[in-house]
Amino acid sequence: MRSIWNGAISFGLVSIPIKLVNATESHSISFRQIHVSDGGRVRYRKVCELDGEEVPAAEIGKGYEEADGSIVPITDEDLARLPIPTAKTIEIVSFVPAEEIDPLQMDAAYYLAANGATAAKPYTLLREALKRSRKVAIAKYALRGRERLGMLRVVDDVIAMHGLLWPDEIRQPEGVAPEASVTVREAELDLADALMATLGEVEIASLHDDYREAVEAMLAAKTGEGFEPAEAVVEPAGGQVIDLMAALESSVRAAKASRAGGSGDSAESAAEAEVTPIRGRRTPAASAPAPKAVGGKKSTASTGTAKKTAAAKKTAAGGKKSTATAKGAAGTKSGAGARAGARSTKSASAAGAKSAGTGRASAAGATAGAGTVKKAAPRKRSSA
């Protein structure tokens, strides 16, 4: 790999010659601007504002613009003569636990390679000291015309340096957090934890740039003149989330099914077994068994029974009880039989009023009424 900067690490009185190598690279696909009508390349030309002529790169220098618009020329020699001790040195200023570094400060990453055979010993010493202390080194260095802050740590058997932003370059998150007061329930946190545990099992090395691969496939097809643009499948945008718990449950199930490779029953049963139940959610009550059929409402039945009992007391002295009628009244167990008994009672009472001296019909009605009373609630037999 090509080095972009040569210098040394200043570790107390130890100096380690190193080369700075980019640890990252961009795989994004860049496009050129073209003239749509003929496909000609559109280029940027650097033109001097005073004479209007294009200026080659060799004649382009640096300058600082004052508030009034005047330009102060700055040369590379001017920058090289600045009294900066870090111009060619990565100066370590302290060692701190890695947890103290805010990830917001992270910038570009570099590998520090030992520059020459004499650098192998001090380089290895610093690397092993960082490993054993489990700390990172905070350093200052100058690169591309400015002094920067860096963090040195061990990656495998190499010392890596992360460029850090200066503390005053981190903006305060004012006005970013939601202003509305929101309360999160424990059940929602439990489901969020389950979703995090499921999604957190992905291997970072397995992630890739789907967009770049699609663009590369499109370019390959266009080059071979076999490209047919396909319509992108756009899923309908979801509306407002009404039930957050249901959304979390569905997310956990979908994530677990995806991790299981889409195996239907096993993935679904595993998801159902591990999803935290929702607290306080009402479940539909089990349907109660149908009540047994009764003859009419309770209030009506009780009122009718009381009336029949009173009639039975009045007509009991008029004649003897009919054994056959008592047997027929005892056989009326259903609600329909009770209503039939009531009708027979009314008919018998009417017949008894018309036929004087014959109390059998009235006695039969009284006996039927007494049978109904026995079904509702047992009572003592009253003497005539």
Side-chain angles (χ1 to χ4, degrees):
M1 291 184 285
R2 186 177 64 88
S3 63
I4 61 173
W5 183 87
N6 292 336
I9 299 176
S10 175
F11 179 31
L13 297 178
V14 179
S15 180
I16 310 172
I18 55 97
K19 297 184 293 184
L20 198 65
V21 178
N22 277 321
T24 61
E25 59 185 358
S26 175
H27 289 167
S28 62
I29 299 174
S30 59
F31 299 102
R32 303 292 186 183
Q33 290 185 335
I34 62 171
H35 190 195
V36 178
S37 61
D38 55 13
R41 172 93 178 268
V42 177
R43 298 177 180 270
Y44 290 102
R45 296 189 177 185
K46 298 180 180 180
V47 178
C48 178
E49 292 182 353
L50 297 180
D51 55 18
E53 297 183 358
E54 185 177 354
V55 181
E59 298 181 8
I60 296 177
K62 298 181 180 69
Y64 177 77
E65 185 177 2
E66 296 280 2
D68 57 358
S70 60
I71 302 295
V72 179
I74 303 295
T75 64
D76 292 338
E77 290 75 14
D78 295 334
L79 297 175
R81 287 196 297 266
L82 291 176
I84 300 177
T86 57
K88 283 293 184 180
T89 304
I90 299 175
E91 182 181 358
I92 295 177
V93 295
S94 66
F95 294 88
V96 299
E99 294 79 15
E100 293 187 8
I101 304 301
D102 191 342
L104 285 175
Q105 290 185 258
M106 295 290 186
D107 201 359
Y110 308 95
Y111 289 134
L112 303 182
N115 192 4
T118 57
K121 179 70 175 181
Y123 184 95
T124 305
L125 173 64
L126 177 59
R127 183 191 66 195
E128 297 303 317
L130 288 172
K131 279 185 180 180
R132 189 169 69 173
S133 66
R134 303 192 179 203
K135 293 183 178 181
V136 297
I138 303 300
K140 296 169 66 176
Y141 66 101
L143 181 64
R144 297 189 179 101
R146 55 170 294 195
E147 190 174 51
R148 304 170 187 263
L149 194 63
M151 178 191 73
L152 277 64
R153 69 184 185 97
V154 178
V155 178
D156 296 334
D157 289 332
V158 176
I159 299 176
M161 181 175 69
H162 295 268
L164 299 178
L165 299 176
W166 295 99
D168 59 357
E169 293 179 321
I170 305 297
R171 301 175 62 183
Q172 296 298 322
E174 297 178 357
V176 179
E179 296 180 359
S181 178
V182 179
T183 302
V184 179
R185 294 182 296 169
E186 289 293 330
E188 294 170 339
L189 286 174
D190 292 340
L191 281 175
D193 290 341
L195 181 58
M196 290 169 59
T198 303
L199 297 180
E201 297 174 357
V202 66
E203 292 289 339
I204 299 298
S206 66
L207 302 178
H208 57 278
D209 189 350
D210 293 329
Y211 179 79
R212 178 174 60 88
E213 292 180 357
V215 173
E216 290 175 349
M218 177 192 67
L219 294 176
K222 272 184 169 292
T223 304
E225 298 181 357
F227 176 71
E228 295 182 1
E231 294 184 1
V233 179
V234 180
E235 297 181 358
Q240 184 180 4
V241 177
I242 302 299
D243 193 345
L244 180 59
M245 298 296 293
L248 287 171
E249 285 180 335
S250 301
S251 300
V252 172
R253 291 192 182 97
K256 288 183 178 294
S258 176
R259 290 290 175 268
S263 58
D265 298 336
S266 60
E268 185 176 358
S269 61
E272 292 178 354
E274 296 185 13
V275 171
T276 304
I278 301 176
R279 301 174 186 172
R281 176 173 287 189
R282 295 180 180 177
T283 56
S287 57
K292 296 182 179 179
V294 295
K297 298 181 180 179
K298 291 184 178 179
S299 59
T300 307
S302 59
T303 305
T305 304
K307 290 180 179 179
K308 292 174 185 178
T309 305
K313 287 181 178 181
K314 290 179 182 181
T315 58
K320 296 181 180 180
K321 296 180 181 179
S322 175
T323 306
T325 308
K327 291 182 179 179
T332 57
K333 295 183 179 179
S334 63
R339 288 192 294 271
R343 287 196 296 270
S344 63
T345 302
K346 292 179 181 178
S347 301
S349 300
K354 291 181 181 180
S355 304
T358 58
R360 291 183 180 180
S362 299
T367 306
T372 307
V373 172
K374 288 180 180 180
K375 285 183 62 182
R379 65 180 184 84
K380 296 182 181 179
R381 186 181 299 273
S382 60
S383 58

